[in-house]
Amino acid sequence: MNNTTSSNAEENNNEMVVTPWEVKGKVDYERLIKEFGTQPLTPQLLERVEKHTDKLHLQLERKIFFSHRDLDTVLDLYDKGTKFVLYTGRGPSGPVHIGHLVPWIFTLHIQQKFNTRLYFQITDDEKYLISDNADLKNTAKWSYENALDLIALGFKPQDTFIIYDTQDIDLLYDITLEVAKRITYSTARSTFGFQDSTNIGWIYWPAIQAAPCFIHKKLTGENVPALIPAAIDQDPYWRVTRDIAQKLGYYKPAQIHCRFLPGLGAGGKMSASMPETSIFTIDPPDVVKKKIWNAFTGGKGTAAEQRKTGADPTVCSIFQYYFFLFEEDTAKLAERERKCRGGEMLCGECKKDIAEKLNGFLKAHQERREKAKDVIDQYHIKR
Amino acid sequence: MNNTTSSNAEENNNEMVVTPWEVKGKVDYERLIKEFGTQPLTPQLLERVEKHTDKLHLQLERKIFFSHRDLDTVLDLYDKGTKFVLYTGRGPSGPVHIGHLVPWIFTLHIQQKFNTRLYFQITDDEKYLISDNADLKNTAKWSYENALDLIALGFKPQDTFIIYDTQDIDLLYDITLEVAKRITYSTARSTFGFQDSTNIGWIYWPAIQAAPCFIHKKLTGENVPALIPAAIDQDPYWRVTRDIAQKLGYYKPAQIHCRFLPGLGAGGKMSASMPETSIFTIDPPDVVKKKIWNAFTGGKGTAAEQRKTGADPTVCSIFQYYFFLFEEDTAKLAERERKCRGGEMLCGECKKDIAEKLNGFLKAHQERREKAKDVIDQYHIKR
């Protein structure tokens, strides 16, 4: 609803819109850093991270995570003995797609390297409030299903705490009150673009998303900062949360922001509301193949033409899959790009490769997802 | 904050203001019926109530309860076998004063005569959100203290369920979401007078006050209407709640509205924020005597003058105490009024009488209040 990044959207359908509820158009990440007032991840800062992680994670090396707030402060504190907690989450509006996994995979890496706790918020209340069609039964179903995907990635129950908003409101509520008391309607409206027609639940909701930033102190007595790895569309929440954190005796939550995995269509992030352009973690192999086969690439009209003039990987949704997740070897990725540009490798081959990689990944993921059903209760915060 | 009843308040300090957060000026109850769009309690309706209660309760006979919404519908349903539940509450901002007890005493009567359940909401979250000085420790303390006063009146745990908002949010939250999703900011602003500077917690809060109207179905499976006996300043909450109740599959909550017990000063309701004009249930006898001694009456400048011209009970705060609570015998009340008007009984005598009655009442109340500490847990909703 925030339209700070969508001026004149009517005039240009490809105009960038990036809000917590909508991402569309061609996303200009450099511009987002400026408009949101965040900091780029500098080589110096990446070097500091690398000291703790042996090798720089692929998603940092490739600038999939590209921006931050206070990561330097969190590292300063860590070096002096004050740990941090990780916090990220998921709005359970449907099945998880591959794009959702990107920041979770990175979060797992940071958790393992820094040996720290993760709070993972499943925002069933938000999904209910912002969608005309959602009902609470439905969001409860997807909360469960989405949690399985998180667990399947390898998070361990001893340091991973899943917060289901409607089930765990008793743990959040007093913190949400502290936060909400300090956010005026005026601030909320200008941050989130609320209107007269916005329902009052939605208006309150930023206080619910803020609460896990501060819950660690309530649960353990330790006052440490939260570091939030998430796509940059969530940044407005942290702006308001950061403004009031210190008044409440907490550290400002820090963020590290990632890009969106594009959908299989032309432009925009992968979106569950366009199922034909998203690979869901529960998709069977034939569905995956079909979606990949129909994906938008940078290819030419005919094979002959493409062999002659080459294709354009920068606009190709398939190439992004290799870049984000499925080609960890940077030399091999460069080789694939070279062959694409040179017309040496056609889209069919590239699609066949990625479909195999995807289906291999999903087979293992789906098996781990089934096993997660036996242990999911262990991730629920004990009373 | 709602200013529908406070136009031109600047021009006239005695101008009526009646909102959930402020009551001041001379309250014109006939005008409130018109402005709030409620119904007067007609003789026909009182007759219907009397059939179930043997004798009409003093507070109905004296029109202390004077207005309603859907009481007739609730009685129709009751006569056909559908019961109702009672719902009222308390904002725990400080000690309970005698004025707070008025609707609770009536509620107990209705509960006993109709053999029905009471949900009593203690709104510690609201008090925290609307007051700059309140903290959650303080509101928790007063929640406990105020619950003791309710129990001391004789409510039994088997059909009295005290809801402490911050402790019981797990029971309320899904209902508040259903409600909040259906109230736009525009509606909330026009009903409650919210402004840009209002905090987002306060804006959400009407959904929390609505939830106990509907909680009985969740706890028991029975869908029955709620009847809310409360002072009329709370009416705006029920207007918005009534508008959405049926969309959610519930009955519209019904109300029966009472007047405010005036404070011991000149005009206005008894208010805990003016402690010298309020008799608190925990006041010791000498404090009660002193407050009564300083109370505003309808008396004259000298005893000689008053003996000659009589006094005016209609403006006398002490006379209201007899009227609301401490002279149940209507003939005796009329006799006291006659003597006052005729100059036969001076204010000193009247004050001495009421101080004795008050201290007698409070002594017994304070003893029951102490005993309530042993059983207060029985009134908490079991999980």
Side-chain angles (χ1 to χ4, degrees):
Chain A
M1 292 206 298
N2 185 327
N3 58 8
T4 53
T5 60
S6 65
S7 50
N8 304 315
E10 301 77 5
E11 294 167 25
N12 183 352
N13 281 334
N14 205 28
E15 179 76 15
M16 173 170 79
V17 178
V18 176
T19 79
W21 306 285
E22 188 180 26
V23 175
K24 66 177 190 185
K26 182 163 164 49
V27 181
D28 178 340
Y29 292 101
E30 296 303 315
R31 194 177 128 202
L32 283 180
I33 286 178
K34 279 186 204 138
E35 289 188 2
F36 283 7
T38 68
Q39 301 295 318
L41 282 176
T42 60
Q44 293 76 11
L45 197 50
L46 292 179
E47 213 169 274
R48 287 192 66 186
V49 174
E50 198 175 5
K51 277 185 193 154
H52 295 279
T53 60
D54 309 327
K55 187 179 171 309
L56 207 57
H57 191 269
L58 189 82
Q59 294 188 22
L60 289 174
E61 194 189 298
R62 295 190 183 164
K63 298 191 188 305
I64 293 169
F65 276 87
F66 68 103
S67 154
H68 78 105
R69 291 182 191 270
D70 278 357
L71 178 62
D72 45 350
T73 310
V74 165
L75 290 174
D76 289 347
L77 284 163
Y78 190 83
D79 288 341
K80 287 178 194 153
T82 300
K83 293 186 77 164
F84 58 89
V85 294
L86 291 161
Y87 162 34
T88 191
R90 159 79 184 142
S93 52
V96 160
H97 59 60
I98 294 287
H100 297 127
L101 300 185
V102 171
W104 302 356
I105 288 167
F106 179 73
T107 300
L108 179 64
H109 162 81
I110 296 291
Q111 182 185 56
Q112 289 170 340
K113 295 299 178 182
F114 288 85
N115 185 28
T116 188
R117 195 181 263 218
L118 167 66
Y119 294 101
F120 188 89
Q121 184 180 38
I122 298 192
T123 62
D124 51 353
D125 47 358
E126 182 206 19
K127 288 300 159 191
Y128 173 71
L129 288 167
I130 71 172
S131 160
D132 285 347
N133 304 319
D135 66 54
L136 288 169
K137 263 190 199 162
N138 211 256
T139 53
K141 179 200 156 194
W142 289 118
S143 295
Y144 173 81
E145 292 290 333
N146 294 176
L148 296 177
D149 284 296
L150 182 81
I151 296 167
L153 291 178
F155 289 94
K156 299 289 174 245
Q158 59 270 23
D159 51 13
T160 304
F161 298 80
I162 301 179
I163 298 165
Y164 304 87
D165 282 350
T166 59
Q167 290 177 55
D168 294 325
I169 191 66
D170 58 323
L171 294 177
L172 302 174
Y173 190 55
D174 56 349
I175 306 175
T176 72
L177 291 173
E178 286 186 319
V179 170
K181 186 172 178 175
R182 287 159 184 87
I183 300 175
T184 63
Y185 179 66
S186 170
T187 297
R189 183 184 52 205
S190 66
T191 308
F192 299 104
F194 293 143
Q195 297 169 2
D196 279 7
S197 59
T198 306
N199 73 62
I200 59 171
W202 195 340
I203 293 171
Y204 187 66
W205 202 80
I208 311 259
Q209 178 143 335
C213 295
F214 308 133
I215 201 172
H216 187 71
K217 187 176 178 186
K218 178 176 172 176
L219 295 178
T220 67
E222 284 179 347
N223 195 10
V224 301
L227 173 65
I228 305 166
I232 196 165
D233 58 333
Q234 298 298 304
D235 186 70
Y237 286 113
W238 317 128
R239 290 206 289 273
V240 289
T241 309
R242 287 168 58 83
D243 282 347
I244 52 113
Q246 290 177 315
K247 289 179 206 162
L248 297 173
Y250 303 109
Y251 287 100
K252 288 185 181 189
Q255 290 83 52
I256 179 162
H257 304 109
C258 70
R259 296 166 197 260
F260 311 107
L261 175 62
L264 296 171
K269 75 167 180 176
M270 184 172 281
S271 167
S273 58
M274 293 186 293
E276 71 286 2
T277 67
S278 299
I279 304 289
F280 297 109
T281 60
I282 52 175
D283 278 345
D286 55 333
V287 171
V288 170
K289 273 187 207 159
K290 195 177 161 197
K291 287 180 179 177
I292 291 294
W293 196 251
N294 292 327
F296 176 82
T297 67
K300 297 291 159 67
T302 65
E305 186 190 348
Q306 192 164 333
R307 279 205 189 86
K308 196 170 155 195
T309 63
D312 181 1
T314 64
V315 299
C316 172
S317 67
I318 300 296
F319 187 77
Q320 293 298 314
Y321 270 66
Y322 288 109
F323 181 81
F324 272 74
L325 279 171
F326 292 106
E327 185 49 88
E328 298 197 7
D329 184 324
T330 300
K332 285 189 185 166
L333 186 71
E335 177 64 6
R336 186 176 290 273
E337 183 175 351
R338 193 191 59 72
K339 285 183 177 171
C340 169
R341 288 189 190 277
E344 223 174 295
M345 181 187 278
L346 299 191
C347 295
E349 187 182 343
C350 218
K351 282 179 170 175
K352 193 168 156 286
D353 286 356
I354 201 78
E356 271 167 27
K357 279 176 188 271
L358 256 170
N359 277 330
F361 171 83
L362 289 181
K363 185 168 181 290
H365 183 82
Q366 287 164 5
E367 282 167 13
R368 291 191 303 265
R369 216 177 159 279
E370 277 306 302
K371 286 186 190 147
K373 292 179 182 174
D374 298 332
V375 294
I376 189 169
D377 289 347
Q378 297 175 25
Y379 293 79
H380 203 164
I381 299 176
K382 305 291 176 298
R383 302 299 191 278
Chain B
M1 292 203 298
N2 184 326
N3 59 9
T4 54
T5 59
S6 66
S7 51
N8 305 316
E10 302 76 4
E11 295 166 26
N12 183 350
N13 280 333
N14 204 29
E15 180 76 17
M16 174 170 79
V17 178
V18 177
T19 80
W21 306 283
E22 187 181 27
V23 175
K24 66 177 190 185
K26 184 168 163 43
V27 180
D28 179 340
Y29 291 100
E30 295 303 314
R31 196 178 126 200
L32 283 181
I33 286 178
K34 279 185 203 138
E35 290 189 0
F36 283 8
T38 66
Q39 301 296 316
L41 283 176
T42 59
Q44 292 77 11
L45 196 52
L46 292 179
E47 213 170 90
R48 288 191 67 186
V49 174
E50 197 175 5
K51 276 184 193 154
H52 294 279
T53 59
D54 309 326
K55 188 181 170 305
L56 206 58
H57 192 269
L58 189 82
Q59 294 188 23
L60 288 174
E61 193 189 297
R62 294 187 183 165
K63 298 188 185 306
I64 292 169
F65 276 87
F66 69 103
S67 155
H68 78 104
R69 290 181 190 272
D70 278 357
L71 179 61
D72 45 351
T73 310
V74 165
L75 290 174
D76 290 348
L77 285 163
Y78 191 83
D79 288 343
K80 287 176 193 153
T82 299
K83 292 187 76 166
F84 59 89
V85 294
L86 291 160
Y87 162 34
T88 192
R90 158 80 184 142
S93 53
V96 159
H97 59 60
I98 294 287
H100 297 128
L101 300 185
V102 171
W104 302 357
I105 288 168
F106 179 74
T107 300
L108 178 64
H109 162 80
I110 296 292
Q111 181 183 57
Q112 289 170 341
K113 295 298 178 182
F114 288 85
N115 186 27
T116 189
R117 195 181 262 217
L118 167 66
Y119 294 100
F120 189 89
Q121 183 180 38
I122 298 190
T123 62
D124 52 352
D125 48 358
E126 182 207 18
K127 287 299 159 191
Y128 173 71
L129 288 167
I130 71 172
S131 161
D132 286 346
N133 303 319
D135 66 56
L136 288 168
K137 263 191 200 161
N138 210 256
T139 53
K141 177 200 157 193
W142 289 118
S143 296
Y144 172 81
E145 292 289 334
N146 295 175
L148 296 177
D149 283 295
L150 182 81
I151 295 167
L153 291 178
F155 289 93
K156 300 289 175 240
Q158 60 269 26
D159 52 11
T160 304
F161 297 80
I162 301 178
I163 298 165
Y164 304 87
D165 282 350
T166 59
Q167 291 177 55
D168 294 326
I169 190 67
D170 58 324
L171 294 177
L172 301 174
Y173 190 55
D174 56 349
I175 306 175
T176 72
L177 291 173
E178 287 186 317
V179 170
K181 187 172 178 175
R182 288 157 183 89
I183 300 176
T184 63
Y185 180 65
S186 171
T187 297
R189 183 184 51 205
S190 65
T191 307
F192 300 105
F194 293 143
Q195 298 170 2
D196 279 6
S197 59
T198 306
N199 74 62
I200 59 172
W202 196 340
I203 292 170
Y204 187 65
W205 203 80
I208 311 260
Q209 178 143 335
C213 295
F214 309 132
I215 200 171
H216 187 71
K217 188 176 178 185
K218 178 174 172 176
L219 295 178
T220 68
E222 286 179 345
N223 195 9
V224 300
L227 173 64
I228 305 166
I232 195 164
D233 58 333
Q234 298 298 303
D235 187 70
Y237 285 113
W238 317 128
R239 289 204 291 273
V240 289
T241 309
R242 287 167 58 84
D243 282 348
I244 52 113
Q246 291 176 315
K247 289 179 207 164
L248 298 173
Y250 302 110
Y251 288 100
K252 288 185 181 188
Q255 290 84 52
I256 179 163
H257 304 109
C258 70
R259 297 166 195 257
F260 310 107
L261 175 62
L264 297 170
K269 76 167 180 177
M270 185 173 281
S271 167
S273 58
M274 293 186 291
E276 71 286 1
T277 67
S278 299
I279 303 291
F280 295 110
T281 62
I282 51 175
D283 278 344
D286 55 332
V287 171
V288 171
K289 273 186 206 161
K290 195 178 161 195
K291 286 179 178 176
I292 291 294
W293 196 250
N294 292 328
F296 177 81
T297 68
K300 297 293 161 66
T302 66
E305 188 191 346
Q306 191 163 334
R307 280 206 187 85
K308 197 169 152 192
T309 62
D312 181 2
T314 64
V315 298
C316 173
S317 67
I318 299 296
F319 187 77
Q320 293 298 315
Y321 269 66
Y322 288 109
F323 181 81
F324 271 75
L325 280 170
F326 292 107
E327 184 50 86
E328 298 197 8
D329 184 327
T330 299
K332 284 189 185 166
L333 186 71
E335 176 65 6
R336 186 176 290 273
E337 182 175 352
R338 191 191 60 73
K339 284 183 177 171
C340 168
R341 287 188 190 277
E344 228 174 294
M345 182 190 276
L346 298 192
C347 294
E349 188 183 342
C350 220
K351 283 179 170 176
K352 193 168 157 287
D353 287 357
I354 200 79
E356 272 168 25
K357 278 175 190 273
L358 256 171
N359 277 330
F361 171 83
L362 289 182
K363 183 168 182 289
H365 184 82
Q366 287 163 6
E367 282 167 14
R368 290 191 303 264
R369 217 177 159 278
E370 277 306 303
K371 286 185 190 149
K373 293 179 182 174
D374 298 331
V375 295
I376 189 167
D377 289 347
Q378 297 176 27
Y379 294 78
H380 204 165
I381 300 176
K382 305 290 174 297
R383 302 299 191 279

